[in-house]
Every structure is written in structure tokens, then in C-alpha cells.
């Protein structure tokens, strides 16, 4: 019974958050009546979360009274996974709705007009880490880009990044259609010739890796990684030197070879240079521009789930912290290889499919290992709290990391909301630990 009573504040928090999440139009008076019911008044509810008030904004303010207290360090980590990175943005969108972090657009002079009572994700988390597309999400959050705008990026830009030229484009440097993925026969030919699937004809092409760099340049220009105030950590693999690398703006990195003096665009192109899909990216890994650049490829070959690295970096950067809270976001559990729709697939097609799935096996095993390590640490370390959002995707859809159709993004929207609500208790418990003091 005593244990049940201790959990009452948490259960009550879940109900409050679920109400706010389910229907944003819920009035302040309705919440006030709920808070003043005889049942809840009879309990010793947590002062951190509840006050008798007619103002919902006050309730949310109470929740974040201690968010600037560096005794608690909050870490946000993103896995790699191509267009499935959309899942992470949708999760954060749900989180915004649940705890009331502002989703306003931040740009130019508008920053000076923002109310002091509003919080933004780049202000809430003390360290953000990411691999591949997760690195893009991490940098986006660290720069104050909202989940809504990042999801718009996936829907509008990804179809032109993950597309190839068709027959009508033989004499053009551009692609005519979005989401024109190579068929299996073409993938076999391109993989056999060591030619990346989405390598553009030239730097001005409207598709593939050139389009990706153009869009990132439009967002970040020539800004350096060190211009970001929030500590960030991105992973990569030096294909020239055969060793892992990290991109960070912090004084400390858990990775031996660390690159700091680099443009944001270059760091993102490097961490997202997935073999088979994109060409390697040239970066001066030695931080010396006078030397020959190194070929950097996708950080997923090193750590597709950078959560352990992020935790290690946070422990070093904040040695006096009393509590560490790590939110780790996956990109769904599903084969990376070609969707098995061909009933009469040729032996060569089956072989290529197995080859592509080897990438999935190697990455997923590493992802699972890090998750197991962190779950164990959370059990034995009283100052460490951990939550990971990652769920199994349906087996009857094409969830290849280069699928970018509107239907797939709509499916992601639906599934994330469903899984979020299903795991509301665990999510709210993490929020309680991370922001409740």
C-alpha cells in the first residue's frame, strides 16, 4: 500500500499529461476541477508537479522550475537510419505536445520576441548526439529547429535526395521524378561496380548527395560546428585511416580521433555518407587543412547508436552533476535490405538482398548491445536514468532507409503516436526524473 501511495504523484502526472496530449483544447478550468477533486486532494501529491491553480501554464512552469539546474544533466541521442529518422522527429513532436515545450519557429529577430516562459529543446538538453541522419536531427535540435520543420524537411527534401535519374534523364544532370529508387536489378549493377546508389552527376544536380549538401548549406551556410552552444557529438568512420572519428564542439570527446574545426555541413555530410547509398566524404581529420583530406563514411559503421558515447562524454563534461538522464531515440526495428516483394526473385537478387541485410545485422547488433549496457547501468547506478524509444515496424511494408514516399511518412506518424501512447507511463516516468528535480 505504501508503495502504491508513493506512485500516486506519477500516476497523476500521467493522467494530466495524457489529457494534455490527447486534446490540446482542454480548458484550464477542466484541469483545475480535476486537480480539486476530493480524491486527489486527499493525497499528498508532489509539490513539484501540482498546485491548485486555474492556469495550465503555471502547472507546466512548475514542471520546469529546475530545468536550468546543472545538477541534472539531460542527454538526447539519435540513431542512424535514413528516412526512418522521421520517427525521431515525430517522437519529439509528441514530447513537445506532452510537456509544453514551444514549437514556435525561431529565426532572425524573432528570438528577441520570445517569451521568457517558453522553453525550446536546444535549451532543455545539455548534450545532443547523433549518427548519420540522427546527426542531422541532433544538429537541427541543437540549432533550435523544431520537430515540425524537421519533419517537413523529410517530406519535401528526402524524395529528391533518395532518387535517381530515369531513362528520360540520360542527357541531363538532373532527375525528373522524386522517390525514383533504383530497382533491384539496377542496385545489383551499381553495387557490383562500387558506384553509390545516390551519387549525383555533379555538385549542381537536383538529386542525390548533391541535393543533400545543397539543402544543408541552405540551412547552416558556412557555420562551424564550434558555433553551436549546446555540446554535440557526431560519429563517423575514417575509411582512409581505418579508425572511428567523432565530430564535436566540446573540449572532451570519448573518441580518440576527434574533429572540431569543421563546418556543420561537412560534419553532417560525413556522418551520413552511408556505404552503398552515398559516396564517402572528404574531411581533414587531422584538423590541418594543409594535409590531404581523409575519406569519412557513415558513423553507423562505428556506432549507429551513439548513446553510450554521449553518456561517457556527459560524465566528463559535467563532473559535478548529481543526476544524468538519457533519452535515446531509435529508427525502428526492420531489415535494411530490399523489401521482399518479388515472388520469383532470381538467385542474384536474393544474394544482393542478403548482402544489404548484412549492414542491418551489423548495425542492429551494435545498437542492441549499447541499449543492454545502458539498461544495466540504469539498474546499478542510482544517479542514472534512461529511456529508449524504438519499436518493431510492420513486416509487410518497404522500410528501406531510402524509402521516401508520402505513404511511408503517414505510416510513421500513425505508428509513433500509437507507440507513444502505449508507452506513456515509462515516458512520463522519465520526464518526472529528468525535469522533476
Amino acid at each position: 500500500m505504501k508503495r502504491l501511495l508513493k506512485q500516486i504523484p506519477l500516476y497523476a502526472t500521467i493522467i494530466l499529461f495524457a489529457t494534455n496530449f490527447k486534446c490540446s483544447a482542454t480548458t484550464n478550468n477542466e484541469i483545475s476541477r480535476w486537480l480539486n477533486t476530493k480524491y486527489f486532494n486527499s493525497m499528498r501529491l508532489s509539490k513539484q508537479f501540482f498546485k491548485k491553480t486555474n492556469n495550465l501554464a503555471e502547472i507546466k512552469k512548475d514542471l520546469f522550475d529546475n530545468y536550468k539546474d546543472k545538477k541534472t544533466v539531460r542527454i538526447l541521442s539519435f540513431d542512424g537510419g535514413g528516412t526512418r529518422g522521421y520517427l525521431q522527429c515525430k517522437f519529439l513532436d509528441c514530447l513537445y505536445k506532452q510537456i509544453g515545450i514551444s514549437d514556435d519557429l525561431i529565426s532572425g529577430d524573432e528570438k528577441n520576441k520570445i517569451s521568457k516562459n517558453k522553453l525550446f529543446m536546444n535549451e532543455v538538453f545539455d548534450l545532443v548526439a547523433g549518427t548519420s541522419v540522427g546527426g542531422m536531427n541532433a544538429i537541427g535540435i541543437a540549432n533550435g529547429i523544431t520537430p515540425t520543420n524537421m519533419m517537413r524537411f523529410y517530406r519535401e527534401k528526402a524524395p529528391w535526395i533518395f532518387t535517381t535519374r530515369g531513362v528520360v534523364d540520360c542527357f541531363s544532370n538532373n532527375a525528373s521524378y522524386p522517390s525514383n529508387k533504383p530497382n533491384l536489378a539496377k542496385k545489383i549493377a551499381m553495387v557490383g561496380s562500387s558506384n553509390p546508389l545516390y551519387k549525383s552527376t555533379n555538385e549542381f544536380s537536383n538529386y542525390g548527395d548533391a541535393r543533400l549538401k545543397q539543402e544543408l548549406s541552405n540551412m547552416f551556410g558556412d557555420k562551424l560546428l564550434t558555433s553551436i552552444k549546446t555540446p554535440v557529438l557526431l560519429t563517423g568512420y575514417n575509411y582512409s585511416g581505418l579508425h572511428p572519428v567523432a565530430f564535436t564542439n566540446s573540449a572532451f570527446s570519448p573518441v580518440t580521433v576527434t574533429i572540431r574545426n569543421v563546418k556543420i555541413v561537412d560534419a553532417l555530410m560525413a556522418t551520413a555518407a552511408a556505404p552503398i547509398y552515398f559516396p564517402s566524404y572528404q574531411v581533414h581529420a587531422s584538423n590541418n587543412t594543409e594535409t590531404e583530406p581523409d575519406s569519412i563514411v557513415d558513423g553507423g559503421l562505428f556506432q549507429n547508436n551513439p548513446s553510450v558515447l554521449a553518456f561517457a562524454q556527459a560524465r566528463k563534461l559535467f563532473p559535478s552533476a548529481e543526476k544524468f538522464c538519457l533519452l535515446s531515440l531509435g529508427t525502428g526495428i526492420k531489415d535494411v535490405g530490399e523489401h521482399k516483394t518479388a515472388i520469383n526473385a532470381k538467385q542474384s537478387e536474393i544474394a544482393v538482398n542478403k548482402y544489404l541485410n548484412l549492414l542491418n545485422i551489423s548495425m542492429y547488433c551494435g545498437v542492441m548491445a549499447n541499449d543492454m549496457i545502458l539498461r544495466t547501468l540504469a539498474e546499478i547506478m542510482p544517479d542514472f536514468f534512461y529511456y529508449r524509444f524504438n519499436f518493431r515496424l510492420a513486416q509487410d511494408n518497404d522500410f528501406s532507409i531510402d524509402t521516401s514516399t508520402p505513404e511511408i511518412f503517414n505510416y510513421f506518424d500513425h505508428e509513433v503516436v500509437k507507440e507513444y501512447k502505449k508507452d506513456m507511463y515509462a515516458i512520463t516516468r522519465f520526464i518526472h526524473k529528468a525535469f522533476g528535480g
Side-chain angles (χ1 to χ4, degrees), residues 9 25 37 85 89 120 137 174 195 199 221 265 267 290 306 367 379 399 436:
T37 59
C89 300
F120 296 90
N137 288 341
N174 295 322
N195 194 20
K199 181 179 179 179
V265 172
E290 295 181 359
V367 166
E379 291 178 1
F399 295 110

Side-chain angles (χ1 to χ4, degrees), residues 339-353:
H339 183 50
K340 303 177 181 63
T341 55
I343 298 176
N344 299 314
K346 297 178 182 178
Q347 195 64 34
S348 58
E349 294 175 339
I350 295 174
V352 169
N353 194 49

Side-chain angles (χ1 to χ4, degrees), residues 322-354:
E322 298 177 359
K323 183 167 62 174
F324 292 84
C325 299
L326 170 58
L327 173 60
S328 176
L329 303 181
T331 54
I333 304 169
K334 179 69 178 180
D335 290 344
V336 171
E338 187 71 17
H339 183 50
K340 303 177 181 63
T341 55
I343 298 176
N344 299 314
K346 297 178 182 178
Q347 195 64 34
S348 58
E349 294 175 339
I350 295 174
V352 169
N353 194 49
K354 288 182 178 179

Side-chain angles (χ1 to χ4, degrees), residues 104-154:
D104 291 346
L105 177 64
I106 310 174
S107 62
D109 295 334
E110 291 181 12
K111 291 182 179 179
N112 300 323
K113 301 176 184 178
I114 295 173
S115 169
K116 293 181 179 180
N117 293 327
K118 291 184 178 180
L119 295 177
F120 296 90
M121 194 64 79
N122 61 324
E123 297 174 337
V124 170
F125 285 93
D126 304 291
L127 189 149
V128 186
T131 291
S132 194
V133 73
M136 297 182 190
N137 288 341
I139 293 296
I141 288 297
N143 276 274
I145 300 175
T146 66
T148 300
N149 287 332
M150 291 197 297
M151 287 190 288
R152 186 178 298 118
F153 179 90
Y154 280 89

Side-chain angles (χ1 to χ4, degrees), residues 120-253:
F120 296 90
M121 194 64 79
N122 61 324
E123 297 174 337
V124 170
F125 285 93
D126 304 291
L127 189 149
V128 186
T131 291
S132 194
V133 73
M136 297 182 190
N137 288 341
I139 293 296
I141 288 297
N143 276 274
I145 300 175
T146 66
T148 300
N149 287 332
M150 291 197 297
M151 287 190 288
R152 186 178 298 118
F153 179 90
Y154 280 89
R155 285 181 174 271
E156 296 178 359
K157 311 303 181 183
W160 288 101
I161 295 169
F162 292 105
T163 193
T164 58
R165 293 182 302 160
V167 177
V168 297
D169 304 315
C170 291
F171 302 102
S172 171
N173 293 323
N174 295 322
S176 297
Y177 305 102
S179 301
N180 182 29
K181 291 172 51 178
N183 58 34
L184 198 51
K186 190 173 182 179
K187 283 188 175 182
I188 294 172
M190 297 177 80
V191 169
S193 64
S194 299
N195 194 20
L197 302 179
Y198 300 106
K199 181 179 179 179
S200 307
T201 307
N202 60 44
E203 61 181 309
F204 304 107
S205 298
N206 71 339
Y207 71 99
D209 66 307
R211 181 62 175 265
L212 174 60
K213 187 171 183 178
Q214 292 163 18
E215 297 298 343
L216 292 176
S217 297
N218 290 338
M219 294 171 66
F220 304 112
D222 292 327
K223 289 183 180 178
L224 295 176
L225 195 63
T226 50
S227 68
I228 302 175
K229 294 182 179 180
T230 303
V232 295
L233 175 70
L234 310 180
T235 63
Y237 187 80
N238 188 328
Y239 197 68
S240 302
L242 301 179
H243 59 76
V245 298
F247 299 91
T248 185
N249 57 350
S250 303
F252 169 78
S253 167

